[in-house]
Every structure is written in structure tokens, then in C-alpha cells.
């Protein structure tokens, strides 16, 4: 099973959780619990069921499940009161409450320069990795305009997709009409506002995340 949710990818074949292509370290039991909640989404899974799956034929306290949930939330940057990923059903169990998409494995060639950003007549090719957007002369995507911060935002290209993240800029970053505060995925044709500037994200059809690029 390989599932993507925002910038995270859970791969049970490699037993890895990654964010923007970088591994997020969690314990094997926490990874197993996360996988179980994702598989059962959006259903609430009882603590007793989770105990049986994680520790079969072994008696352990319910607190062990709560501790693993805390570990997962810390790894995902989630909150208890305003959960984005793991929801608590008090007195019963837990549920995965975010949007997740199963990813297929394909044999398309490696994603390199298959997407780009356009600003007017300028085109900025995007290869795998991070591309900082800003006014600073040293950034990968330089936009010399007063409403653009020196290091305004970044675009991350990985095998899992392309993501846009704001750096807490003064004039903000938008995808379409929505100002972003957390990393958001980009799809072909997305309009991105960096301060007052309007950019467009383009992606070759081979780079579609419907078919996973395998190294």
C-alpha cells in the first residue's frame, strides 16, 4: 500500500513515512497504527481493536495506543483539539480524518524538468528538489518586485508530486484565490500569487501523480 496525504506519503512496502520526499522517523508500531487508521478511514477504530492488531495475544495497557497516537501527531504536526489527520473519538478510539489518495506504481521515466513555473515571458524549469521563490539574488526562482519577500515561498518537486509552501511572507502566497498557510499540492494549470505577482504552474502529462514515477 502506498498512500499520499498532502505532502506525506506512507509506503508499507518500504515501511517508510516521507514528507516532500524526506523520511519522517517514527517507530514501527506507530507506522503500523497509522497504516491501520488509513486503511479503515473514515471509520473510527476502537482502542480494543487497535490493541489486538498491534499486540496480538499480548496484554498491554490502553495508554500504549494513546502514546503511539501522540507520536504520530508529533510526526505529522497534528493537533489534538483541531485535528487534521488523527481524530479522537473520546472513550472509544481513533480515526484518520484527512484526505488520502492511493498511489499506483508505474514505469514512467524519472520526473526531471517535467514541470515549470511561468511569470510573463519567463519560464523557470523545476527539477526534483526544492526551489525557493523570492527577491533574493541567490534563490532559484527570482522575482524582482517590491511585494515579493527575499525568501517568499518554495516549490518542492518529488516523486510524490509538487507542493507549494509559504515562508510566512509579508504579502502572502495564494493558490488560486486561497491564501495558503500549509503546504498545498500543485496541479497543471494552477495559478499562484506571490505577493502581487501572478504565476502559472505547468506540468507535462507524464508527470501526473496518477502514475507514480519509480526510481
Amino acid at each position: 500500500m502506498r498512500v499520499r496525504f498532502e505532502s506525506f506519503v506512507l509506503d508499507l512496502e518500504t515501511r517508510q513515512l516521507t514528507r516532500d520526499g524526506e523520511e519522517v522517523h517514527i517507530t514501527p508500531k506507530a507506522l503500523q497504527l497509522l497504516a491501520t487508521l488509513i486503511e479503515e478511514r473514515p471509520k473510527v477504530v476502537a482502542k480494543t481493536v487497535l490493541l489486538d492488531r498491534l499486540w496480538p495475544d499480548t496484554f498491554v495497557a490502553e495508554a500504549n495506543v494513546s502514546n503511539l497516537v501522540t507520536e504520530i501527531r508529533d510526526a505529522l504536526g497534528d493537533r489534538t483539539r483541531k485535528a487534521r489527520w488523527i481524530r479522537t473519538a473520546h472513550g472509544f478510539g481513533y480515526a484518520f480524518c484527512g484526505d488520502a489518495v492511493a498511489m499506483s506504481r508505474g514505469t514512467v521515466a524519472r520526473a526531471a524538468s517535467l514541470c515549470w513555473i511561468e511569470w510573463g515571458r519567463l519560464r523557470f524549469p523545476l527539477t526534483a528538489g526544492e526551489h525557493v521563490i523570492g527577491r533574493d539574488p541567490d534563490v532559484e526562482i527570482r522575482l524582482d518586485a517590491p511585494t515579493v519577500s527575499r525568501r517568499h515561498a518554495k516549490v518542492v518537486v518529488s516523486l510524490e508530486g509538487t507542493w507549494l509552501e509559504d515562508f510566512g511572507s509579508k504579502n502572502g502566497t495564494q493558490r488560486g484565490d486561497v491564501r495558503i498557510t500549509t503546504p498545498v499540492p500543485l496541479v497543471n494549470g494552477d495559478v499562484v500569487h506571490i505577493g502581487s505577482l501572478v504565476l502559472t504552474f505547468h506540468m507535462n502529462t507524464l508527470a501526473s501523480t496518477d502514475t507514480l514515477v519509480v526510481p
Side-chain angles (χ1 to χ4, degrees):
M1 181 181 73
R2 205 163 194 265
V3 177
R4 173 170 59 83
F5 49 104
E6 284 197 8
S7 56
F8 294 97
V9 172
L10 176 66
D11 191 329
L12 286 188
E13 291 186 15
T14 62
R15 298 193 63 79
Q16 286 181 307
L17 174 66
T18 60
R19 180 178 184 180
D20 294 329
E22 298 292 329
E23 186 171 4
V24 178
H25 296 284
I26 60 174
T27 61
K29 286 294 185 185
L31 187 141
Q32 185 181 351
L33 173 57
L34 177 60
T36 298
L37 295 177
I38 289 177
E39 287 174 347
E40 298 291 340
R41 69 186 187 280
K43 184 175 73 175
V44 177
V45 184
K47 291 181 182 179
T48 54
V49 173
L50 294 173
L51 287 169
D52 287 340
R53 291 196 185 183
L54 298 172
W55 294 277
D57 303 318
T58 304
F59 176 78
V60 295
E62 283 190 0
N64 285 276
V65 176
S66 301
N67 291 338
L68 290 180
V69 170
T70 298
E71 180 184 345
I72 294 170
R73 283 174 171 154
D74 288 343
L76 301 180
D78 204 1
R79 298 178 181 178
T80 304
R81 293 188 176 181
K82 196 174 181 181
R84 295 178 60 206
W85 306 118
I86 308 297
R87 179 174 66 86
T88 301
H90 294 286
F92 185 76
Y94 301 94
F96 187 86
C97 56
D99 293 327
V101 179
M103 301 174 67
S104 60
R105 292 190 179 273
T107 56
V108 182
R110 197 180 279 272
S113 298
L114 290 179
C115 51
W116 63 94
I117 279 181
E118 287 186 356
W119 174 42
R121 296 182 179 179
L122 294 180
R123 174 183 287 199
F124 301 93
L126 302 173
T127 55
E130 293 189 0
H131 303 265
V132 176
I133 304 172
R135 198 161 33 87
D136 195 303
D138 296 329
V139 302
E140 290 79 9
I141 302 175
R142 185 168 185 247
L143 305 175
D144 191 9
T147 60
V148 178
S149 300
R150 294 183 66 83
R151 293 175 63 85
H152 194 107
K154 71 176 179 180
V155 175
V156 180
V157 181
S158 72
L159 300 182
E160 286 75 39
T162 304
W163 299 81
L164 175 66
E165 181 177 352
D166 183 67
F167 281 151
S169 59
K170 179 180 179 181
N171 294 307
T173 301
Q174 292 182 200
R175 181 189 60 178
D177 297 328
V178 179
R179 183 163 179 163
I180 67 171
T181 56
T182 59
V184 295
L186 293 176
V187 299
N188 189 38
D190 270 347
V191 175
V192 174
H193 297 261
I194 302 293
S196 63
L197 304 187
V198 180
L199 291 69
T200 308
F201 174 74
H202 296 280
M203 182 170 60
N204 188 301
T205 55
L206 290 178
S208 171
T209 55
D210 292 338
T211 302
L212 174 65
V213 178
V214 179

